[in-house]
Amino acid sequence: MKETYTPLKFKENALRFIQDEKRRANLNKAIYHTLSKRTEVVSELPDWEILRQRAHDIRKEAIENIWHYIEIFEKKASENGIKVIYASDAIEARNQVLEIAKRINAKLCVKSKSMVSEEIGLREFLEENGIETVETDLGEFIVQLAGEMPSHITAPAMHKSRDEIGKLFNEKLGVEFTSVPEELTKIARGFLRDKFLNADIGISGANFLVAETGSIVIVENEGNAGLSTTLPKIHIAIAGIEKIIPRLSDLTVFFKVLGRSATAQRFTSYVSIINSPRRKKPDSPEEIYLILLDNGRSQMLKSEKLKEALYCIKCGACMLACPVYQTVGGHSYGWVYPGPIGSILASAQLGLEKATPLPFASSLCGKCHEICPVKIEIHHTLVWLRHQAVELKKTSRMEKLLFKLWLSAMKDARIYKAGAKLLRFLKKIGIKPSLKAWSRTREFPQIAEKSFREIWEKELKN
Amino acid sequence: MGERTEKLIERFKLEFERVGGVFIRVKKDQILPILNQTLKVENADKIFVEKFDDELSNILKQLNVKQIITQAHSEKQLAKVDASVTGCDYLIAETGTIVFIHDEKRFKSSILLPRVHIVIARSEQVYESLEHVFEKIDKKFDSIFLVTGPSRTADIEKVIVKGVHGPQMVYLILI
């Protein structure tokens, strides 16, 4: 994890991004494109709302009975020859990967896309320990070359233009400059093909873990996850404990909503449902490890309010739909999961102390909930988190005082009238109340010459 | 052929073509010329051919290319071929998806490594949806691989580019 990367710098980061018109234009173009495509593929399904409800119900069933299903999963997967390891936090998970790597004297790892590995800073950790670790998803590869963090969970390089990527490849890979996406992709294919064929370990995430069959399920478009989990001798999959689903048939519901929500596709190009290591298969890893990561999740399970955020299937739709994300971009949030759902996850995993600005980085419009394929009530949870932040005394004294005044005025008509009169008087003699923090980016409401009550009494009543 | 199967094949064709696949329907005796033509168009000299039943294997032996590999010894060898010709287990009409059960007869890397992937299927393999396939299969499978069109990305300015790590072209030849 990069040192400077913290939610506490949200305001500074957001301001910087807002002023960078080129970046904003890149981001907005990409967002608009995906959202309009998504509308098209969602509206084809007349029973979309039923599907969403079904997806919600399955996720609820899984999370409410999570330990039960994990037990079944562990039993099945172990029977099939997959080694299941439990990691309580990032340090444990990283060390377990390193231990396996050291045991086989691994020099090169290929990685397919995994947000959980970003969460625990796995790639940096392995590199620090002298193991070359290469991102193979094109977007992640670009972000790795640039030394940045992903700005969106399914489209990590969406903030970059083709020219920037061309320059980056030219500098880092020593190839001739081109800004043609087809050419750039070909360059990456050639470079990474070599890595795939020589890697000792393939590292992946998991989109779902199926309890019934003990399967690790990985959804993707490029084929890099398929290769990362087939070519190297060892496959290590890392998944948050919440990835569990009860039955194989549940997948049919999630495939329908996930592809549409994440990348506006009817069905993603590739799905690997992995039940076992090599056995009779002619190609496949000899060993498969699955690291089940807790990292704050079991704490979330204990909170009625936060539990629901674990239903998330990491599609990233709430980010695209969020007017705040659209304006400030993914990097501003300072946490691996940006946007509305990320604000909940950061508050839960880092603690509100370290994520205070995030629950406030929302207009509470509810678009995130409307678009969420598993119907998480993100906006309600954000309001609740704001309340927690106030309880933690994370708001200024001035803000509290103003809200107290406002509350007493709203409760008592006499105070309200007197207050309004005072404001009108102040306006007459030329004093405007100064509330810079509020009015810097908003129009301050004008105070009318006469109140409605006065107009009613004198002019309208009769 | 039943009307129902015909309808499913129609739907499969529509969906498969929509994701960028090339659908060709042939009679058994046309397989050889069609395949030869396809391989020529794709400039494929070196190909991998999976094990089929004897009749089909004999036909495929006569393909007009420089080198045919039928026994792959390593993934590195598969990485060097231009095209692979494989069978499949099911086709899903609703999404244009090809289902591969990954077991002793199949190299998953033969589906992913070559530039061109040609799949030979029979019309009775078409099912309506993934739900139906899940009902049908033995849950004790080793692994399953679902393929819906060629490898693709939209990571650079949302421009769709085919053939990132997997094949650029996927052909489905239905007998």
Side-chain angles (χ1 to χ4, degrees):
Chain A
M1 199 71 30
K2 312 238 168 4
E3 286 291 324
T4 52
Y5 215 66
T6 154
L8 293 176
K9 290 194 176 159
F10 177 79
K11 274 190 187 164
E12 293 168 55
N13 292 342
L15 259 179
R16 203 175 322 122
F17 187 84
I18 290 166
Q19 283 155 2
D20 190 341
E21 277 180 33
K22 222 173 103 193
R23 292 232 139 162
R24 279 185 73 185
N26 290 345
L27 180 75
N28 284 314
K29 195 174 140 196
I31 289 177
Y32 176 75
H33 181 94
T34 312
L35 283 180
S36 53
K37 200 80 222 301
R38 179 197 165 272
T39 308
E40 190 189 318
V41 292
V42 163
S43 59
E44 282 172 7
L45 291 180
D47 54 354
W48 176 250
E49 286 306 320
I50 299 169
L51 265 174
R52 272 180 87 209
Q53 189 59 46
R54 183 85 193 98
H56 173 91
D57 293 345
I58 299 169
R59 290 302 293 141
K60 187 172 181 177
E61 183 194 349
I63 296 299
E64 289 296 334
N65 305 288
I66 188 164
W67 303 115
H68 166 70
Y69 285 121
I70 283 184
E71 204 183 313
I72 301 176
F73 173 83
E74 203 182 330
K75 188 165 172 281
K76 274 279 159 197
S78 310
E79 274 170 24
N80 291 337
I82 294 175
K83 292 173 186 133
V84 182
I85 305 170
Y86 189 81
S88 60
D89 59 16
I91 299 169
E92 242 182 80
R94 290 194 300 241
N95 284 332
Q96 276 152 355
V97 177
L98 185 64
E99 200 180 296
I100 299 165
K102 277 192 169 157
R103 193 165 67 230
I104 61 154
N105 199 13
K107 297 199 170 51
L108 175 62
C109 289
V110 281
K111 245 190 101 260
S112 64
K113 214 174 148 11
S114 149
M115 288 314 292
V116 153
S117 72
E118 300 277 352
E119 182 185 319
I120 63 173
L122 182 63
R123 190 185 69 227
E124 291 87 347
F125 177 75
L126 289 175
E127 301 244 281
E128 278 162 25
N129 282 281
I131 300 163
E132 186 187 353
T133 308
V134 188
E135 296 287 350
T136 58
D137 170 87
L138 181 59
E140 291 279 350
F141 177 64
I142 293 167
V143 180
Q144 182 184 13
L145 280 186
E148 292 174 7
M149 299 280 288
S151 64
H152 184 270
I153 58 173
T154 66
M158 79 191 293
H159 59 290
K160 282 203 156 348
S161 71
R162 59 182 81 189
D163 282 334
E164 286 175 278
I165 297 165
K167 263 181 228 149
L168 186 70
F169 278 18
N170 170 258
E171 276 167 30
K172 304 272 171 158
L173 301 176
V175 292
E176 211 169 300
F177 173 82
T178 169
S179 60
V180 183
E182 284 80 2
E183 292 297 320
L184 291 167
T185 306
K186 211 187 245 174
I187 293 167
R189 179 185 170 111
F191 181 84
L192 291 170
R193 192 41 85 86
D194 218 44
K195 303 284 178 195
F196 276 124
L197 292 168
N198 293 303
D200 306 298
I201 297 180
I203 296 174
S204 79
N207 294 88
F208 305 100
L209 303 172
V210 183
E212 180 191 16
T213 48
S215 316
I216 300 169
V217 184
I218 305 168
V219 175
E220 53 143 350
N221 278 310
E222 297 183 0
N224 64 312
L227 289 173
S228 304
T229 59
T230 305
L231 298 177
K233 258 194 260 169
I234 308 260
H235 169 204
I236 305 175
I238 307 166
I241 52 170
E242 83 281 9
K243 291 288 175 187
I244 201 88
I245 56 169
R247 296 156 295 264
L248 191 67
S249 60
D250 295 335
L251 286 174
T252 59
V253 175
F254 291 115
F255 290 161
K256 277 188 191 135
V257 296
L258 179 59
R260 284 177 168 84
S261 302
T263 46
Q265 280 175 286
R266 295 178 180 88
F267 208 87
T268 42
S269 301
Y270 300 113
V271 178
S272 296
I273 305 177
I274 301 166
N275 275 17
S276 75
R278 186 168 285 202
R279 296 205 291 212
K280 286 181 197 153
K281 296 178 273 189
D283 59 347
S284 262
E286 282 159 20
E287 290 176 88
I288 301 179
Y289 295 88
L290 173 72
I291 297 179
L292 273 174
L293 179 72
D294 186 324
N295 211 24
R297 288 165 174 80
S298 53
Q299 279 303 316
M300 288 175 75
L301 285 168
K302 288 180 191 156
S303 156
E304 280 307 315
K305 295 284 179 188
L306 295 173
K307 195 159 48 172
E308 203 195 34
L310 292 174
Y311 296 5
C312 176
I313 54 172
K314 305 278 161 33
C315 71
C318 64
M319 297 160 202
L320 302 184
C322 174
V324 175
Y325 180 96
Q326 287 172 359
T327 314
V328 306
H331 285 149
S332 298
Y333 292 82
W335 178 234
V336 279
Y337 309 105
I341 191 71
S343 298
I344 301 177
L345 295 173
S347 306
Q349 292 188 289
L350 299 172
L352 257 181
E353 294 280 341
K354 288 182 183 161
T356 328
L358 296 187
F360 296 88
S362 163
S363 64
L364 301 180
C365 64
K367 281 248 177 197
C368 45
H369 168 64
E370 240 169 64
I371 205 166
C372 175
V374 293
K375 295 178 85 165
I376 301 172
E377 295 198 320
I378 301 173
H379 54 320
H380 289 178
T381 309
L382 288 174
V383 175
W384 179 78
L385 281 167
R386 287 183 184 190
H387 182 75
Q388 302 303 305
V390 173
E391 301 271 293
L392 273 172
K393 302 190 173 50
K394 281 287 166 193
T395 40
S396 73
R397 236 182 251 163
M398 188 62 175
E399 190 178 334
K400 270 193 187 159
L401 179 70
L402 285 170
F403 270 106
K404 261 194 191 143
L405 284 174
W406 184 76
L407 182 69
S408 52
M410 284 294 146
K411 274 175 147 173
D412 189 327
R414 281 170 305 175
I415 300 177
Y416 181 88
K417 267 193 227 166
K421 228 175 213 173
L422 177 68
L423 285 174
R424 268 196 298 279
F425 174 72
L426 287 175
K427 190 187 170 189
K428 218 180 245 174
I429 61 169
I431 299 173
K432 259 204 241 165
S434 163
L435 290 171
K436 265 195 201 145
W438 199 80
S439 62
R440 195 177 51 213
T441 53
R442 301 175 181 88
E443 287 278 330
F444 202 84
Q446 290 297 315
I447 297 153
E449 296 287 329
K450 285 178 185 171
S451 78
F452 177 73
R453 280 163 194 271
E454 282 171 8
I455 299 172
W456 177 258
E457 282 293 332
K458 288 183 182 150
E459 297 164 31
L460 296 172
K461 209 171 169 185
N462 305 307
Chain B
M1 186 100 18
E3 201 183 314
R4 206 183 122 72
T5 313
E6 275 308 316
K7 265 200 179 139
L8 288 180
I9 293 172
E10 264 315 297
R11 178 76 196 274
F12 177 85
K13 179 175 184 285
L14 174 85
E15 296 295 336
F16 183 65
E17 285 174 347
R18 193 144 72 162
V19 292
V22 180
F23 182 91
I24 305 168
R25 203 166 172 186
V26 296
K27 291 211 170 70
K28 221 173 206 174
D29 55 356
Q30 295 170 311
I31 292 176
L32 193 63
I34 290 279
L35 269 176
N36 273 330
Q37 199 190 339
T38 308
L39 291 167
K40 202 174 155 195
V41 171
E42 291 291 349
N43 256 326
D45 287 333
K46 197 170 169 183
I47 66 167
F48 167 77
V49 178
E50 197 177 87
K51 194 168 160 28
F52 287 92
D53 60 58
D54 291 348
E55 191 190 358
L56 205 48
S57 285
N58 281 331
I59 297 174
L60 296 174
K61 263 181 211 158
Q62 305 162 46
L63 281 171
N64 187 21
V65 288
K66 278 191 189 136
Q67 193 185 352
I68 302 177
I69 298 166
T70 51
Q71 298 281 330
H73 300 294
S74 70
E75 291 90 350
K76 283 198 174 126
Q77 195 183 11
L78 284 169
K80 284 187 192 124
V81 304
D82 303 308
S84 61
V85 181
T86 75
C88 68
D89 294 279
Y90 304 97
L91 302 176
I92 299 170
E94 194 180 65
T95 50
T97 301
I98 310 171
V99 182
F100 299 92
I101 310 263
H102 189 195
D103 54 18
E104 63 263 36
K105 68 177 185 297
R106 181 155 291 135
F107 280 90
K108 186 166 168 181
S109 33
S110 73
I111 300 167
L112 280 169
L113 285 172
R115 182 163 51 82
V116 179
H117 182 204
I118 302 169
V119 183
I120 301 178
R122 285 167 284 106
S123 44
E124 60 268 26
Q125 287 176 314
V126 191
Y127 281 68
E128 191 180 328
S129 67
L130 186 59
E131 284 91 325
H132 291 93
V133 171
F134 278 159
E135 275 163 30
K136 173 99 180 149
I137 54 167
D138 176 5
K139 298 256 167 77
K140 285 194 180 126
F141 60 87
D142 274 2
S143 291
I144 290 180
F145 195 41
L146 308 177
V147 176
T148 310
S151 151
R152 49 166 267 170
T153 186
D155 273 342
I156 302 174
E157 287 190 16
K158 294 283 153 195
V159 180
I160 291 174
V161 181
K162 289 176 192 165
V164 198
H165 297 291
Q168 201 163 24
M169 292 295 286
V170 180
Y171 290 85
L172 194 281
I173 296 183
L174 192 76
I175 305 173

